[in-house]
Amino acid sequence: MISSQIPVCIIGAGPGGATTSIFLSKKKIPHIIVDKDTFPRDKICGDGLDLKVLRVLKQIDPNITPETIFGSQPFSKSWGMRFITPSGLYKNFIFKPKSDEPAHPLFCVSKRFNFDQFLVDKLDKTYAEVHLGTKATKIERKNGGIEVTFEKEGQIYKTFCNLIVGADGDHSVVLRELDERKIDRKHYAAGLRQYWKNVSGIHEDKLIEVYFKKEYPCGYFWIFPLPNNEFNVGFGMVSEIISGKKVNLQTCMRDIIENDKVMAPRFKNATALESMRGWGLPLASRRKKAFGDNYLLVGDASSSINPMTGEGIGTAMVSGVVAANFVEKAMINQRFTEDVFKNYDRELYRRLEPEIKQYNRIFAWKLEYWLNGIYEFIFRLPLTQWYSSKMYKVWINTALNKPIEVNMHD
């Protein structure tokens, strides 16, 4: 058995954990980051990267430009969104700059196989002790801190730390050992992903597509363009609706692809590259307590997924920035008790507050079964197109020029 001691231990090297590590290194805080997988590795996800991702990356390196980040082969630039209403109406929202303006796509799409490796490559090993292919098997409170037991290639390791950051997803071992993992179906969603090739009808600007089908409220079918004429195709729905309507997601997704009058023709000559694979999405609308004595949670472990869109990569990275600031506060004060982190949840969720309120109003007003009809109405309004175009400049300016601010005070 090999034993060691280090101030901070991060469990999980996905977007939340890797971002936490990168910002801890910027603050010159020694830490260990561990993941049970070796990288690159597949991760079931929608693969969409929004402007929050760009915002965090710009904070990592102010010299970064969208072209240097997303100009390489694993990334597909998307210049907007295509919403397909229950009646089959196609509404395109394209955000391309004028010829004399910098070109910044609203979205990019990259397989997590590539993007997570992209982040892991940015870990600074001057301050980060990186252990991949290493599984945390036991977490215990000892002597005012945390003792973590790891296993790697049959060898047992023990590390004592003052603070542990749970970045190991919805099935977090940190959440299981130090907190409590509960699933509230109203604040949880299930999704399926399947990679396809040669889907037809894709817009030349590679718009990400979302299809709202009347029979499936609080859910949508998506097509996200990847490089090499591949596509992330998926279907997700709020778990409470799945349970109440006794929905079989695989059956529904297969029916959309094979029989739906809007979608089936576009898959006629397409080829599935894998079987359907599912995962759970803990939504931020639950606003779970994501801290306690000697621990913080980030990413899916902290239920940080946007409840209105299902987007979780950017929110996970933002949570990593927030966590690093609170870790720094604890290190300066040499106190790692719950009271030091009391404003962590506020900072974790406040950027999602509009979406959280909107989502909770839908259920409070019992609109969940009317939602797709409401979308039909909204996307037919000329005002929706005008407002989205107006907001595009705000979103881009925020991503490129406004670092994420974290207020740790009352």
Side-chain angles (χ1 to χ4, degrees):
M1 184 184 301
I2 301 173
S3 298
S4 63
Q5 185 168 338
I6 200 162
V8 182
C9 177
I10 303 170
I11 308 295
T19 302
T20 306
S21 173
I22 291 166
F23 279 86
L24 287 183
S25 293
K26 282 180 166 291
K27 298 173 185 299
K28 301 181 180 180
I29 297 174
H31 60 282
I32 183 174
I33 179 167
V34 174
D35 198 290
K36 62 182 176 58
D37 293 319
T38 56
F39 285 63
R41 56 92 175 95
D42 185 30
K43 182 73 172 178
I44 308 171
C45 181
D47 295 338
L49 309 176
D50 67 2
L51 288 175
K52 288 189 289 296
V53 174
L54 176 60
R55 189 180 185 189
V56 175
L57 291 175
K58 283 287 292 182
Q59 201 162 336
I60 291 172
D61 182 357
N63 296 317
I64 277 177
T65 66
E67 195 58 40
T68 59
I69 302 169
F70 302 131
S72 60
Q73 178 62 25
F75 299 94
S76 175
K77 290 183 283 189
S78 174
W79 294 99
M81 299 163 285
R82 170 184 278 175
F83 294 105
I84 307 168
T85 70
S87 68
L89 174 71
Y90 279 65
K91 292 295 291 184
N92 297 332
F93 293 79
I94 301 170
F95 305 98
K96 294 192 82 169
K98 298 176 182 177
S99 58
D100 60 342
E101 295 176 340
H104 303 313
L106 188 61
F107 301 100
C108 281
V109 186
S110 174
K111 292 181 179 181
R112 291 285 297 276
F113 182 89
N114 297 309
F115 183 69
D116 288 12
Q117 181 67 56
F118 171 83
L119 285 180
V120 165
D121 287 342
K122 294 186 176 299
L123 299 178
D124 183 351
K125 295 182 181 178
T126 305
Y127 299 98
E129 188 180 319
V130 183
H131 293 277
L132 304 179
T134 303
K135 185 178 181 180
T137 58
K138 191 174 183 180
I139 297 173
E140 293 181 283
R141 295 188 181 277
K142 282 189 177 181
N143 304 320
I146 304 288
E147 185 181 76
V148 189
T149 304
F150 304 106
E151 182 177 346
K152 181 178 184 179
E153 298 176 349
Q155 177 69 57
I156 302 299
Y157 302 80
K158 285 186 182 290
T159 294
F160 181 85
C161 60
N162 301 110
L163 177 67
I164 189 167
V165 178
D168 48 340
D170 179 40
H171 298 278
S172 168
V173 64
V174 179
L175 192 59
R176 186 180 69 239
E177 297 291 336
L178 299 181
D179 200 316
E180 186 175 8
R181 182 177 183 268
K182 290 182 179 179
I183 293 179
D184 183 337
R185 292 182 184 274
K186 186 182 292 186
H187 304 290
Y188 198 85
L192 294 174
R193 182 207 77 187
Q194 188 174 36
Y195 288 127
W196 282 74
K197 196 172 183 69
N198 299 326
V199 178
S200 65
I202 302 302
H203 193 278
E204 62 179 1
D205 290 316
K206 293 191 174 182
L207 307 182
I208 66 171
E209 301 191 36
V210 174
Y211 177 31
F212 300 102
K213 193 167 170 62
K214 185 177 180 180
E215 295 87 339
Y216 306 132
C218 279
Y220 62 81
F221 178 85
W222 71 80
I223 303 173
F224 290 178
L226 287 157
N228 303 317
N229 205 28
E230 293 185 7
F231 303 88
N232 183 313
V233 176
F235 179 55
M237 186 181 292
V238 172
S239 295
E240 185 170 85
I241 305 296
I242 293 173
S243 177
K245 292 177 69 70
K246 295 180 170 54
V247 173
N248 182 303
L249 282 188
Q250 288 201 13
T251 299
C252 294
M253 181 165 162
R254 191 175 296 111
D255 182 62
I256 291 172
I257 291 171
E258 295 176 359
N259 304 309
D260 184 81
K261 65 179 182 180
V262 176
M263 283 294 162
R266 298 180 59 185
F267 285 85
K268 184 177 180 181
N269 298 312
T271 303
L273 302 177
E274 62 172 354
S275 59
M276 296 178 191
R277 301 178 64 191
W279 84 106
L281 295 89
L283 306 178
S285 50
R286 181 186 171 192
R287 297 177 68 99
K288 80 179 299 327
K289 181 170 172 282
F291 66 94
D293 289 341
N294 305 99
Y295 78 92
L296 294 172
L297 303 175
V298 300
D300 285 7
S302 66
S303 298
S304 65
I305 292 175
N306 187 322
M308 293 302 298
T309 66
E311 192 280 324
I313 299 173
T315 57
M317 294 177 69
V318 171
S319 73
V321 177
V322 174
N325 279 269
F326 277 86
V327 172
E328 180 183 41
K329 177 184 177 182
M331 291 291 294
I332 291 171
N333 292 292
Q334 280 299 293
R335 286 176 48 237
F336 304 90
T337 50
E338 182 173 309
D339 61 294
V340 177
F341 309 120
K342 66 178 181 178
N343 293 319
Y344 179 66
D345 286 359
R346 180 194 68 196
E347 294 302 297
L348 190 66
Y349 296 116
R350 70 179 172 89
R351 294 162 188 83
L352 287 169
E353 195 63 40
E355 290 88 350
I356 290 172
K357 287 182 178 179
Q358 186 178 355
Y359 180 88
N360 286 326
R361 284 193 197 107
I362 289 168
F363 282 92
W365 297 346
K366 301 188 183 305
L367 297 175
E368 58 267 34
Y369 290 98
W370 300 88
L371 192 58
N372 288 352
I374 294 171
Y375 288 146
E376 177 89 41
F377 172 76
I378 290 173
F379 293 130
R380 287 180 180 273
L381 293 175
L383 181 65
T384 305
Q385 188 92 45
W386 173 84
Y387 178 76
S388 299
S389 297
K390 186 178 180 66
M391 289 303 297
Y392 167 71
K393 291 185 178 180
V394 176
W395 298 331
I396 287 291
N397 181 60
T398 298
L400 294 177
N401 301 312
K402 295 186 178 180
I404 295 165
E405 296 179 354
V406 181
N407 177 15
M408 291 169 286
H409 307 292
D410 294 330

mmCIF file of all heavy atoms in Angstrom, residues 329-344:
data_model
loop_
_atom_site.group_PDB
_atom_site.id
_atom_site.type_symbol
_atom_site.label_atom_id
_atom_site.label_comp_id
_atom_site.label_asym_id
_atom_site.label_seq_id
_atom_site.Cartn_x
_atom_site.Cartn_y
_atom_site.Cartn_z
ATOM 1 N N LYS A 329 -10.371 30.016 -1.196
ATOM 2 C CA LYS A 329 -10.794 30.661 0.050
ATOM 3 C C LYS A 329 -10.508 29.749 1.240
ATOM 4 O O LYS A 329 -9.983 30.186 2.273
ATOM 5 C CB LYS A 329 -12.282 30.992 -0.010
ATOM 6 C CG LYS A 329 -12.842 31.601 1.271
ATOM 7 C CD LYS A 329 -14.349 31.804 1.175
ATOM 8 C CE LYS A 329 -14.914 32.350 2.485
ATOM 9 N NZ LYS A 329 -16.385 32.503 2.437
ATOM 10 N N ALA A 330 -10.852 28.465 1.100
ATOM 11 C CA ALA A 330 -10.610 27.511 2.185
ATOM 12 C C ALA A 330 -9.119 27.353 2.460
ATOM 13 O O ALA A 330 -8.695 27.265 3.627
ATOM 14 C CB ALA A 330 -11.233 26.162 1.830
ATOM 15 N N MET A 331 -8.308 27.327 1.407
ATOM 16 C CA MET A 331 -6.869 27.184 1.593
ATOM 17 C C MET A 331 -6.270 28.398 2.298
ATOM 18 O O MET A 331 -5.407 28.258 3.171
ATOM 19 C CB MET A 331 -6.197 26.982 0.229
ATOM 20 C CG MET A 331 -6.495 25.646 -0.434
ATOM 21 S SD MET A 331 -5.746 24.246 0.435
ATOM 22 C CE MET A 331 -4.007 24.595 0.184
ATOM 23 N N ILE A 332 -6.727 29.583 1.932
ATOM 24 C CA ILE A 332 -6.219 30.803 2.573
ATOM 25 C C ILE A 332 -6.548 30.812 4.064
ATOM 26 O O ILE A 332 -5.703 31.157 4.904
ATOM 27 C CB ILE A 332 -6.799 32.059 1.881
ATOM 28 C CG1 ILE A 332 -6.204 32.200 0.472
ATOM 29 C CG2 ILE A 332 -6.515 33.319 2.703
ATOM 30 C CD1 ILE A 332 -6.867 33.268 -0.374
ATOM 31 N N ASN A 333 -7.756 30.387 4.379
ATOM 32 C CA ASN A 333 -8.195 30.392 5.777
ATOM 33 C C ASN A 333 -7.807 29.117 6.530
ATOM 34 O O ASN A 333 -7.953 29.057 7.754
ATOM 35 C CB ASN A 333 -9.720 30.567 5.850
ATOM 36 C CG ASN A 333 -10.173 31.934 5.402
ATOM 37 O OD1 ASN A 333 -9.913 32.945 6.053
ATOM 38 N ND2 ASN A 333 -10.853 31.995 4.271
ATOM 39 N N GLN A 334 -7.338 28.123 5.781
ATOM 40 C CA GLN A 334 -7.019 26.817 6.358
ATOM 41 C C GLN A 334 -8.193 26.266 7.181
ATOM 42 O O GLN A 334 -8.029 25.690 8.252
ATOM 43 C CB GLN A 334 -5.745 26.884 7.204
ATOM 44 C CG GLN A 334 -4.465 26.850 6.376
ATOM 45 C CD GLN A 334 -4.344 25.566 5.554
ATOM 46 O OE1 GLN A 334 -4.196 24.471 6.101
ATOM 47 N NE2 GLN A 334 -4.420 25.685 4.221
ATOM 48 N N ARG A 335 -9.374 26.473 6.628
ATOM 49 C CA ARG A 335 -10.605 25.920 7.205
ATOM 50 C C ARG A 335 -11.397 25.299 6.070
ATOM 51 O O ARG A 335 -11.576 25.912 5.014
ATOM 52 C CB ARG A 335 -11.430 27.013 7.889
ATOM 53 C CG ARG A 335 -10.835 27.461 9.207
ATOM 54 C CD ARG A 335 -11.617 28.615 9.835
ATOM 55 N NE ARG A 335 -13.037 28.393 9.862
ATOM 56 C CZ ARG A 335 -13.940 29.211 9.298
ATOM 57 N NH1 ARG A 335 -13.544 30.282 8.630
ATOM 58 N NH2 ARG A 335 -15.223 28.963 9.390
ATOM 59 N N PHE A 336 -11.886 24.084 6.293
ATOM 60 C CA PHE A 336 -12.550 23.329 5.242
ATOM 61 C C PHE A 336 -13.932 22.856 5.687
ATOM 62 O O PHE A 336 -14.457 21.879 5.178
ATOM 63 C CB PHE A 336 -11.668 22.139 4.836
ATOM 64 C CG PHE A 336 -10.294 22.561 4.402
ATOM 65 C CD1 PHE A 336 -9.255 22.655 5.326
ATOM 66 C CD2 PHE A 336 -10.046 22.910 3.086
ATOM 67 C CE1 PHE A 336 -7.990 23.069 4.931
ATOM 68 C CE2 PHE A 336 -8.781 23.325 2.679
ATOM 69 C CZ PHE A 336 -7.751 23.411 3.601
ATOM 70 N N THR A 337 -14.501 23.591 6.630
ATOM 71 C CA THR A 337 -15.811 23.238 7.170
ATOM 72 C C THR A 337 -16.926 23.849 6.331
ATOM 73 O O THR A 337 -16.713 24.767 5.529
ATOM 74 C CB THR A 337 -15.937 23.712 8.625
ATOM 75 O OG1 THR A 337 -15.543 25.088 8.693
ATOM 76 C CG2 THR A 337 -15.041 22.891 9.538
ATOM 77 N N GLU A 338 -18.128 23.348 6.519
ATOM 78 C CA GLU A 338 -19.282 23.721 5.703
ATOM 79 C C GLU A 338 -19.515 25.228 5.651
ATOM 80 O O GLU A 338 -19.885 25.775 4.606
ATOM 81 C CB GLU A 338 -20.523 23.000 6.246
ATOM 82 C CG GLU A 338 -21.785 23.261 5.456
ATOM 83 C CD GLU A 338 -22.937 22.397 5.932
ATOM 84 O OE1 GLU A 338 -22.767 21.163 6.041
ATOM 85 O OE2 GLU A 338 -24.009 22.961 6.207
ATOM 86 N N ASP A 339 -19.291 25.927 6.750
ATOM 87 C CA ASP A 339 -19.578 27.360 6.781
ATOM 88 C C ASP A 339 -18.707 28.159 5.805
ATOM 89 O O ASP A 339 -19.109 29.222 5.329
ATOM 90 C CB ASP A 339 -19.411 27.914 8.201
ATOM 91 C CG ASP A 339 -17.992 27.749 8.721
ATOM 92 O OD1 ASP A 339 -17.569 26.587 8.911
ATOM 93 O OD2 ASP A 339 -17.298 28.764 8.934
ATOM 94 N N VAL A 340 -17.528 27.644 5.491
ATOM 95 C CA VAL A 340 -16.648 28.332 4.535
ATOM 96 C C VAL A 340 -17.264 28.326 3.136
ATOM 97 O O VAL A 340 -17.030 29.234 2.334
ATOM 98 C CB VAL A 340 -15.259 27.656 4.509
ATOM 99 C CG1 VAL A 340 -14.347 28.305 3.468
ATOM 100 C CG2 VAL A 340 -14.617 27.711 5.879
ATOM 101 N N PHE A 341 -18.086 27.329 2.848
ATOM 102 C CA PHE A 341 -18.646 27.161 1.511
ATOM 103 C C PHE A 341 -20.122 27.570 1.435
ATOM 104 O O PHE A 341 -20.807 27.211 0.476
ATOM 105 C CB PHE A 341 -18.510 25.692 1.083
ATOM 106 C CG PHE A 341 -17.138 25.129 1.242
ATOM 107 C CD1 PHE A 341 -16.902 24.036 2.072
ATOM 108 C CD2 PHE A 341 -16.060 25.696 0.579
ATOM 109 C CE1 PHE A 341 -15.639 23.515 2.226
ATOM 110 C CE2 PHE A 341 -14.779 25.184 0.722
ATOM 111 C CZ PHE A 341 -14.559 24.078 1.550
ATOM 112 N N LYS A 342 -20.605 28.320 2.406
ATOM 113 C CA LYS A 342 -22.051 28.536 2.524
ATOM 114 C C LYS A 342 -22.678 29.244 1.323
ATOM 115 O O LYS A 342 -23.873 29.105 1.085
ATOM 116 C CB LYS A 342 -22.371 29.302 3.808
ATOM 117 C CG LYS A 342 -21.844 30.726 3.857
ATOM 118 C CD LYS A 342 -22.273 31.394 5.158
ATOM 119 C CE LYS A 342 -21.765 32.840 5.222
ATOM 120 N NZ LYS A 342 -22.222 33.513 6.457
ATOM 121 N N ASN A 343 -21.909 30.013 0.573
ATOM 122 C CA ASN A 343 -22.460 30.691 -0.605
ATOM 123 C C ASN A 343 -22.153 29.960 -1.912
ATOM 124 O O ASN A 343 -22.404 30.493 -2.996
ATOM 125 C CB ASN A 343 -21.919 32.126 -0.682
ATOM 126 C CG ASN A 343 -22.423 32.983 0.461
ATOM 127 O OD1 ASN A 343 -23.589 32.904 0.835
ATOM 128 N ND2 ASN A 343 -21.550 33.801 1.030
ATOM 129 N N TYR A 344 -21.634 28.760 -1.791
ATOM 130 C CA TYR A 344 -21.250 28.014 -2.989
ATOM 131 C C TYR A 344 -22.455 27.722 -3.879
ATOM 132 O O TYR A 344 -22.412 27.954 -5.100
ATOM 133 C CB TYR A 344 -20.566 26.707 -2.580
ATOM 134 C CG TYR A 344 -20.148 25.844 -3.756
ATOM 135 C CD1 TYR A 344 -19.157 26.267 -4.633
ATOM 136 C CD2 TYR A 344 -20.742 24.606 -3.991
ATOM 137 C CE1 TYR A 344 -18.754 25.480 -5.705
ATOM 138 C CE2 TYR A 344 -20.352 23.812 -5.058
ATOM 139 C CZ TYR A 344 -19.364 24.250 -5.910
ATOM 140 O OH TYR A 344 -18.979 23.474 -6.977
#
